Amino acid sequence: MAIFQVPNISIAGISACVPETEFHNKNYDWITEKERETLIKTIGVESKRHAQKGTTTSDLCLVAAEKLIDELKWERSEIDLLIFVSQSRDYIIPATAGLLQNKLSLPKSCIAFDISLGCSGYVYGLSVIGSMMATGAIKKGLLLTGDISTLNTSYRDKSAFPLFGDAGTATAVEINPAAEPMKFNLQTDGSGYEAIIIPDGGIKNFANKETSFEYHEISEGIIRNQLNIVLDGIKVFNFSLREVKPNILKLFSEYEVSSDDVDYYVFHQANLLMNNTIRKQLKLSPEKVPNSLKKYGNTSSASIPLTIVTELSEAVSNNKLKLLFSGFGVGLSWGSVLLNLEKIVCPPILTLKD
């Protein structure tokens, strides 16, 4: 099992940016008003943000990163690592991280690369950037995470459209020899890859006009094409309830941590029913488990840092806190991290105008 520590680094700040356009699920007229009420109660998403065509995840991350660098008063010449975690990159090639390195005016000595992960991406991204920086050779780094899922979601798919929102985030990581090590437990089960998938558009099933764009009725209320997100909610729900709790408890056991030692648990914002069920499995009080689903929906790899910015900004800006982050979903991939945040920079959520 991939349980390990990353010493000598800490998070200096977290910021988040969302598109200006807001969509309210009460106006989702593909389904009946009664279905809308039930859906909103179940998944917990009242509204979410939608990027317009041409707006990219990197655009949102760029705004978040610029604000964070300015607030921290970091010298851009000192930033030697940039990792972009997303499943909605700008191009198939080149890597989006290189575009962001240039737009942020970071030095040519900066290492920049992409990681293709979704729901677990923030936790995995922290493990990668932390491990690379832990030796001390790299003093400052940026972890940029997010996704634009709405442009790949069919409006006529009631299983997916009401759930997903768009966001981009930036996390500043720096060397700190006094920091308590970050503690990770990361896992994967690729046999479940079809539970969340966009079937066409990659190299295996290249987009083609004969089959990729044609819409099909999958079941009542679900009409989509091969370039739209396919979400098997039952499989994802069962996977999450089966794997997340043991992952977290194994991490606690390995490092002799009690659940009461943790101030807040920040879960990937999958949906309200799923997250509340996991919370109850772990016997956690609602006050310890913030959520951003109501206003922003499921924002994939952005959901954990977005929740910190929108729900815990004051707490993390003024206190030393022990937190647990847990991401789980597409891949299937999941992981948790125990870490401390101490009076970090956490500006209010930013909006990118259309």
Side-chain angles (χ1 to χ4, degrees):
M1 193 171 287
I3 299 179
F4 59 95
Q5 299 188 62
V6 176
N8 303 327
I9 67 158
S10 61
I11 292 175
I14 300 173
S15 61
C17 179
V18 293
E20 181 180 38
T21 299
E22 191 171 5
F23 181 87
H24 294 268
N25 274 333
K26 66 181 180 180
N27 299 324
Y28 182 47
D29 58 10
W30 174 243
I31 57 178
T32 67
E33 184 176 352
K34 185 176 181 179
E35 283 180 300
R36 275 174 254 166
E37 291 173 357
T38 301
L39 183 146
I40 291 170
K41 183 179 180 180
T42 302
I43 68 172
V45 182
E46 294 185 8
S47 64
K48 55 211 181 80
R49 300 302 179 95
H50 285 198
Q52 301 302 296
K53 287 185 178 179
T55 297
T56 66
T57 305
S58 68
D59 292 332
L60 299 171
C61 289
L62 178 65
V63 173
E66 291 278 13
K67 177 67 172 178
L68 195 55
I69 292 169
D70 290 345
E71 291 268 332
L72 287 166
K73 297 181 173 55
W74 275 13
E75 292 292 334
R76 293 171 193 251
S77 60
E78 297 178 345
I79 301 172
D80 280 331
L81 178 58
L82 185 157
I83 299 176
F84 178 71
V85 182
S86 179
Q87 295 182 137
S88 50
R89 57 194 186 275
D90 286 19
Y91 306 100
I92 292 179
I93 56 173
T96 304
L99 307 181
L100 285 162
Q101 174 269 336
N102 178 57
K103 290 178 180 179
L104 287 166
S105 300
L106 303 185
K108 292 181 181 179
S109 59
C110 180
I111 304 164
F113 60 91
D114 294 358
I115 297 176
S116 178
L117 280 173
C119 312
S120 66
Y122 188 67
V123 175
Y124 269 76
L126 278 177
S127 77
V128 175
I129 195 169
S131 297
M132 291 184 68
M133 293 178 62
T135 60
I138 300 169
K139 306 298 183 184
K140 293 181 170 67
L142 291 174
L143 175 65
L144 307 183
T145 68
D147 268 300
I148 289 178
S149 301
T150 60
L151 294 178
N152 293 110
T153 308
S154 169
Y155 184 81
R156 295 182 292 172
D157 183 352
K158 66 180 182 181
S159 70
F161 183 86
L163 181 61
F164 292 106
D166 302 327
T169 70
T171 299
V173 182
E174 63 183 358
I175 284 292
N176 179 5
E180 183 177 334
M182 293 184 179
K183 302 173 178 68
F184 292 89
N185 184 8
L186 307 180
Q187 295 182 258
T188 307
D189 180 7
S191 69
Y193 76 99
E194 290 183 313
I196 311 174
I197 190 172
I198 298 176
D200 287 7
I203 300 303
K204 185 174 181 63
N205 299 315
F206 211 69
N208 65 87
K209 62 182 180 181
E210 287 78 20
T211 60
S212 296
F213 298 92
E214 184 177 349
Y215 283 86
H216 298 275
E217 183 171 3
I218 310 303
S219 60
E220 184 181 353
I222 300 178
I223 299 175
R224 59 176 178 247
N225 66 30
Q226 292 292 96
L227 295 171
N228 294 145
I229 292 173
V230 176
L231 174 62
D232 189 328
I234 298 299
K235 283 187 179 179
V236 177
F237 188 85
N238 290 338
F239 144 73
S240 299
L241 268 55
R242 184 177 65 248
E243 299 291 0
V244 176
K245 176 186 173 182
N247 177 275
I248 293 171
L249 293 182
K250 180 66 176 177
L251 187 61
F252 284 165
S253 174
E254 183 74 17
Y255 293 109
E256 299 181 345
V257 173
S258 164
S259 61
D260 293 333
D261 296 333
V262 179
D263 295 297
Y264 293 103
Y265 293 76
V266 188
F267 295 146
H268 164 59
Q269 301 295 284
N271 69 57
L272 187 61
L273 176 61
M274 186 183 301
N275 284 31
N276 273 342
T277 304
I278 295 169
R279 176 182 65 77
K280 291 174 183 176
Q281 285 182 327
L282 291 164
K283 298 180 173 60
L284 304 175
S285 66
E287 294 75 23
K288 279 197 166 189
V289 188
N291 81 77
S292 57
L293 276 163
K294 183 177 180 180
K295 293 183 179 180
Y296 300 102
N298 180 331
T299 55
S300 190
S301 62
S303 72
I304 292 174
L306 176 69
T307 301
I308 293 169
V309 169
T310 60
E311 309 304 318
L312 295 177
S313 178
E314 185 176 349
V316 299
S317 299
N318 296 294
N319 302 283
K320 180 178 180 178
L321 301 170
K322 182 178 289 293
L323 293 97
L324 180 132
F325 302 158
S326 182
F328 42 89
V330 60
L332 295 167
S333 174
W334 66 106
S336 301
V337 56
L338 274 166
L339 76 169
N340 290 339
L341 295 184
E342 185 170 4
K343 296 182 179 180
I344 68 169
V345 169
C346 190
I349 193 164
L350 304 162
T351 301
L352 177 63
K353 295 189 179 297
D354 297 332

